[in-house]
Amino acid sequence: MNRDGSRPPPGSLAPRRVPEAYVRAEVASFPLTSLQAFRSAVTELVPSLDSEDGEPTWALWRECEKGLSEHASGWSLDRIIAVRDAFWFPSRGHVSHRQAPRQGVSMFHYLRNLADTHLERRPGVTVIFQGTGAEAVEALTHYRWLTFAMPEDLLLGAVPVEPPPTRVDIEPPLLVRHLLDRGVAEVHHHVGAGMDFPLLWASLLSAVGAPSLDPSSLTGPGLPFEDGERMLRWLLAAAVTRCVLAEVLLRRETPPLLDFVRGLSESRAWLPQRRRVLARTLEALSRGRREVLPALDELRGLYEDLHPLAAYNVNDPPATLDEVWRRCDPLALRLRLSTPNGGERWLVRSGLKHLAALEHAGIQDVHFERLFWQVQRVRCVSYRAYVQRPLTAGLQWFIRFYGRPRAMKGPLSAVRAEVSYAVAGGDQPIAALEVRTSPSDDPIRIAEELTSLTQSWRGVLSRTGERVADGRSPEFGVVMHLIKDRDPSHHWAQGQPPAHGMGTYAEPVPERRVQLGGRYSDYFAAQSVQVEALVDLLRAVPLSLWLVRGLDVASDELSVPTWVLAPLYRYIRWGAARAAAKRESRRAPPLRLTSHVGEDYRHLMEGLRRIFESVHYLLDRTGGRLGHATALGVEPGAWAESVGAVMMPAEDRLWDLVFEWRLYSDYRLPPALSAEAPPGRPLRVDNLLRELSEAVFGRCVAPHVLAEAHHVLHNLWCPPLARDEGGVGLDAFSRAFRRLNWSRVLNGAHVRRVLVAYREDERVFQRGQQLVDIPLDASEVATLRSVQAAMRRLVGARGTVVEVNPSSNLLIGNLLDLRNHPILRLNPPSAEEGAPPPVPIALGADDPVTFSTFLLREYSLLHEAARSAGYSEREVHEWLSNIRQTSMDARFTVPWRPGALHMADELLDALAHFTRRAVSRHEAPA
């Protein structure tokens, strides 16, 4: 609130350029999470930063200062040093006679202080520590940013209380009770990232031991340890060392680690070769020395001896979540633990107790201490590779983080639905779960994917007794999402983007090679194979429509325009409708539609245009959903001030202006869409269109011709403009213009000339990729406000629901502070005078492991954002209750009749019958 007690208007809370909580978290976690800490193997932080003992601390600080000088804009060195001193060199004793440490601070005391600073000492379930007098919201914010920097379970393991806490309760209890009692739906959850980090780490501990794991599958831009093979070797070294540390801790009379390892030389169970590899592994990890690290095959052979089930867990994955915890982590297997994260928690707790006992007895075991902290550093560095880092805005960064753990998830493949259900609710029962996955190019493989998910979901039903809130069975559904991709060679994903769109799917004549159909034809052909495979399955197994509940498109939003996707959507929608009309479908409900859009944009108008194209040309006229759509809620003035000016390709700017011109001219628009033009803006847009069209097409094109071209481009497969529905595939794409009924196209000859040039002329493409600089002046901001308000009215009138994912939006949208989340403008907790009607909102977690979150925590984060923006507890509670109800109403899942288990069995039978029939038909000629 303001000082006078009034509430500031939504969107007016301008955050610091870099959040204080981010800088605090980065500095606080640096001794555990940085590569410099790993390379120097720091075990003690020396306050003086001089002498031989203090040199590693000095090197650590130099690296920390260098990194933050590039990111902590607005922070003086004095402020950063103060944060460093508070967390690296904590004072001890009672506050009345507390003194700064003169001697070194061990990593043990450093981590314990970090845990005590943020968490209460409570057994089982703990809460955030607020003893400093800070407001609850600030304490929660600091803790949230710290969990972006390092694994939460490491902090929990350092809390000195028995039994140790296993989770932090930050969710308001009345809110959680309300959500669970009335039923909460997870409507935006990608099953490929549906686990949390402890589960991913357990899976990784088996995946790294599989001989089939290709190190090149780990390679990518920004990967720690420089390349995929080197990272795999360090992960194997850490996995081996965990086993050695565990054996030392399990001895009743604990010998120094070095004596324990030497004792292995007397054991006949260890061959001399294995002993030498083990010794080199421990030496390399204890000092972070790459040159000593054994070769990959040697490490794999050693780890196979220590964890013989590793490869087996990849080839024959565990069938239940309990089995994952018991089989994947070699420590859990050794100790017969099946509790969640049991092996890792035991190692951290036992290791810290051992270090405390050594310190109390005045004994030093330098080798154990070094190796213990080096193992934790490898895990922390991995965490930061898999969890999206703050200040990495845009989907290109997200794609990198999302893709990195792909090779490590094999042991979880049979339990993905169970994992997603457990993680989404934070081990609490939720009413409905939608998971998103990509279709394959073969209906058999799609059927196998659906079978795997259904079998896993059947396990959930068995364990929940088929009942959650109100005595209902939890609902389950799969949303198939097409994947947007920038280029066939994946140069963009690999961090090697060629200049000016060269080699992308957008190029009509790549490498001077004539491409049938022009731009995006290769992408369309590849997606057509997947689309046809999905429709073939739905037609062959109509009952599967009770499971396959929706269609989406995701990933690199800016890579593929909406007009390319429109025919694919129509083909699937019509195929699903025909399948639903069959008797075998048992009156299956229609397939629902959503679209990731308006999340990543160079110019805010670009995001709004893509939202318009999705709502008007992709989704059902009576609803559907939009994924993220943050462009609808970002305050244009604040956005323009933060961006300053925008540089973007000329052709994208051209289409943005065409969209704006259509709004002012009411050109082929739905009745609910109209925008009031700022004074003088229509004439300016008209002139800019003529200017840009000449620059792109080589001749001046009238705005009404461009507007008609924009409309026709999105209706190439749609009667009455098209003579028939058409199909998919390269031939259909290349012949699209021939199927058009040009007599129904206004100014048909001119429009055809524009469209042919746009799709097939390499020179037009190259000119369109030239960059234009757009100053965000007052006219531009006023226009954005008008267009944004018009789009919000349209979305509300259509009943289209926006899927909001707070943590995802915070990181991808670089919001810096949840108080700036667009939801507070899209759907404020209380009506704002003069604002457009609120937009319906549904809530999801998106990618739990990538954004270190889960569904109930997302509700809590919105609670935090609204309360810190000045809304009362009653307003916020009612607001979140309405969002919960909208999420339930907008969910794509449906109850399975006559019973969930019965339907699951029928789906498995129908899919198995199709798979057997398809396989036998495929093998018949042989």
Side-chain angles (χ1 to χ4, degrees), residues 122-125 156-157 159 161-167 345 349:
R122 295 189 186 183
V125 178
L156 289 169
V159 177
V161 66
E162 293 293 341
T166 58
R167 67 182 181 89
R345 279 211 312 269
R349 293 294 291 188

Side-chain angles (χ1 to χ4, degrees), residues 603 605-606 609 613 648-665 681-693 703-704 706-707 710 772 774 779-780 783 787:
H603 193 298
M605 185 67 78
E606 183 177 34
R609 169 175 61 84
E613 291 167 350
M648 63 190 298
E651 69 176 23
D652 292 298
R653 177 59 172 166
L654 178 72
W655 292 125
D656 288 350
L657 292 169
V658 169
F659 164 59
E660 189 181 342
W661 189 91
R662 288 183 65 181
L663 285 176
Y664 301 150
S665 307
R681 184 69 184 183
L683 180 60
R684 181 176 178 181
V685 170
D686 192 289
N687 291 333
L688 285 171
L689 277 174
R690 295 177 188 277
E691 221 176 275
L692 264 181
S693 65
H704 64 275
L706 291 168
H710 183 249
V772 294
I774 308 161
S779 171
E780 200 79 16
T783 298
V787 173

Side-chain angles (χ1 to χ4, degrees), residues 186 221-222 307 379 464 488 507 663 708 722 828 914:
E186 170 57 282
H307 189 16
R379 190 170 187 263
T464 59
E507 192 170 13
L663 285 176
E708 184 72 0
F914 166 74

Side-chain angles (χ1 to χ4, degrees), residues 283-294:
E283 181 186 357
L285 188 64
S286 69
R287 298 181 181 276
R289 293 180 60 189
R290 183 182 66 193
E291 63 274 12
V292 184
L293 190 63

Side-chain angles (χ1 to χ4, degrees), residues 216 219-222 396 399-400 485 487-497:
S216 65
T219 301
Q396 281 296 315
I399 290 167
R400 296 181 183 184
D485 196 7
D487 64 299
S489 301
H490 307 294
H491 287 142
W492 281 70
Q494 294 164 6
Q496 298 174 299

Side-chain angles (χ1 to χ4, degrees), residues 539-697:
R539 289 172 178 169
V541 190
L543 192 67
S544 63
L545 280 166
W546 290 90
L547 174 64
V548 179
R549 294 300 313 123
L551 176 65
D552 187 16
V553 60
S555 197
D556 188 357
E557 181 177 346
L558 298 180
S559 63
V560 180
T562 311
W563 65 266
V564 179
L565 298 160
L568 301 172
Y569 262 61
R570 290 190 189 104
Y571 185 82
I572 294 177
R573 187 169 58 187
W574 281 99
R578 293 185 180 104
K582 293 186 176 183
R583 186 182 61 182
E584 297 87 346
S585 75
R586 298 192 191 165
R587 299 181 180 177
L591 191 74
R592 305 291 299 280
L593 303 177
T594 182
S595 170
H596 280 62
V597 69
E599 176 187 16
D600 195 12
Y601 42 84
R602 289 153 294 204
H603 193 298
L604 185 55
M605 185 67 78
E606 183 177 34
L608 294 170
R609 169 175 61 84
R610 287 177 178 266
I611 291 172
F612 161 74
E613 291 167 350
S614 290
V615 171
H616 192 51
Y617 297 113
L618 281 192
L619 303 185
D620 290 327
R621 298 291 177 92
T622 56
R625 298 198 313 236
L626 295 172
H628 304 288
T630 53
L632 286 174
V634 170
E635 206 289 309
W639 172 81
E641 186 177 349
S642 66
V643 172
V646 170
M647 191 175 286
M648 63 190 298
E651 69 176 23
D652 292 298
R653 177 59 172 166
L654 178 72
W655 292 125
D656 288 350
L657 292 169
V658 169
F659 164 59
E660 189 181 342
W661 189 91
R662 288 183 65 181
L663 285 176
Y664 301 150
S665 307
D666 195 22
Y667 194 93
R668 292 189 184 266
L669 295 179
L673 182 58
S674 61
E676 184 177 344
R681 184 69 184 183
L683 180 60
R684 181 176 178 181
V685 170
D686 192 289
N687 291 333
L688 285 171
L689 277 174
R690 295 177 188 277
E691 221 176 275
L692 264 181
S693 65
E694 186 168 4
V696 173
F697 291 102

Side-chain angles (χ1 to χ4, degrees), residues 748-813:
H750 296 292
V751 169
R752 181 167 190 157
R753 184 180 175 188
V754 167
L755 291 180
V756 170
Y758 168 70
R759 278 187 41 163
E760 300 176 8
D761 192 328
E762 178 72 12
R763 293 169 302 172
V764 169
F765 167 76
Q766 291 175 357
R767 291 194 294 261
Q769 296 305 303
Q770 297 305 304
L771 298 171
V772 294
D773 219 343
I774 308 161
L776 301 177
D777 54 20
S779 171
E780 200 79 16
V781 172
T783 298
L784 288 170
R785 288 195 172 113
S786 175
V787 173
Q788 187 185 68
M791 283 304 305
R792 284 161 65 176
R793 286 192 293 270
L794 173 66
V795 169
R798 285 276 179 92
T800 304
V801 174
V802 173
E803 303 161 2
V804 167
N805 313 97
S807 294
S808 170
N809 303 148
L810 177 72
L811 295 175
I812 293 178

Side-chain angles (χ1 to χ4, degrees), residues 245-535:
L245 293 173
E247 292 303 320
V248 171
L249 293 170
L250 286 170
R251 297 293 188 270
R252 289 187 177 180
E253 295 181 2
T254 306
L257 184 137
L258 191 59
D259 291 348
F260 171 79
V261 175
R262 286 171 177 163
L264 295 177
S265 62
E266 302 173 5
S267 171
R268 296 181 180 179
W270 282 78
L271 297 174
Q273 167 89 19
R274 285 284 190 262
R275 289 199 298 270
R276 286 193 292 270
V277 174
L278 176 63
R280 287 165 50 211
T281 300
L282 298 179
E283 181 186 357
L285 188 64
S286 69
R287 298 181 181 276
R289 293 180 60 189
R290 183 182 66 193
E291 63 274 12
V292 184
L293 190 63
L296 180 58
D297 289 342
E298 292 177 308
L299 287 164
R300 277 176 166 164
L302 177 59
Y303 192 50
E304 184 181 4
D305 290 345
L306 298 171
H307 189 16
L309 277 184
Y312 176 76
N313 287 333
V314 175
N315 299 325
D316 188 9
T320 67
L321 188 52
D322 287 344
E323 282 188 40
V324 170
W325 292 122
R326 186 169 61 249
R327 284 171 40 180
C328 289
D329 185 342
L331 303 193
L333 194 64
R334 170 78 166 84
L335 299 166
R336 299 181 181 179
L337 301 173
S338 60
T339 54
N341 205 24
E344 185 64 29
R345 279 211 312 269
W346 179 87
L347 176 65
V348 172
R349 293 294 291 188
S350 300
L352 292 176
K353 284 181 181 178
H354 181 59
L355 291 172
L358 290 175
E359 181 181 291
H360 182 73
I363 300 172
Q364 277 196 324
D365 187 348
V366 176
H367 297 90
F368 181 94
E369 190 174 11
R370 276 185 180 169
L371 288 169
F372 177 80
W373 293 115
Q374 288 292 81
V375 165
Q376 296 308 317
R377 289 187 177 106
V378 170
R379 190 170 187 263
C380 287
V381 168
S382 301
Y383 179 84
R384 291 164 71 93
Y386 300 143
V387 173
Q388 179 146 354
R389 303 292 299 124
L391 310 185
T392 54
L395 287 171
Q396 281 296 315
W397 283 110
F398 162 76
I399 290 167
R400 296 181 183 184
F401 285 99
Y402 182 88
R404 285 174 185 162
R406 183 175 292 115
M408 302 302 180
K409 298 182 295 189
L412 301 177
S413 59
V415 294
R416 288 171 298 161
E418 186 180 359
V419 164
S420 292
Y421 186 76
V423 170
D427 289 321
Q428 299 288 334
I430 61 175
L433 172 66
E434 291 176 22
V435 299
R436 303 189 186 199
T437 189
S438 302
S440 171
D441 56 4
D442 182 349
I444 298 175
R445 286 206 287 270
I446 298 177
E448 291 170 345
E449 167 82 347
L450 295 177
T451 297
S452 173
L453 291 170
T454 305
Q455 286 173 335
S456 179
W457 183 251
R458 196 189 187 287
V460 172
L461 294 173
S462 299
R463 275 177 281 282
T464 59
E466 287 196 85
R467 294 291 179 266
V468 285
D470 299 333
R472 298 169 297 173
S473 299
E475 297 173 2
F476 181 66
V478 176
V479 176
M480 290 290 182
H481 63 70
L482 308 177
I483 296 295
K484 288 187 176 184
D485 196 7
R486 190 81 61 153
D487 64 299
S489 301
H490 307 294
H491 287 142
W492 281 70
Q494 294 164 6
Q496 298 174 299
H500 302 300
M502 289 189 297
T504 63
Y505 285 116
E507 192 170 13
V509 189
E511 300 175 353
R512 299 183 180 180
R513 171 176 56 87
V514 176
Q515 185 167 260
L516 187 64
R519 60 169 72 196
Y520 300 107
S521 58
D522 284 352
Y523 173 82
F524 188 87
Q527 294 299 307
S528 294
V529 177
Q530 296 185 359
V531 162
E532 289 180 303
L534 176 58
V535 170

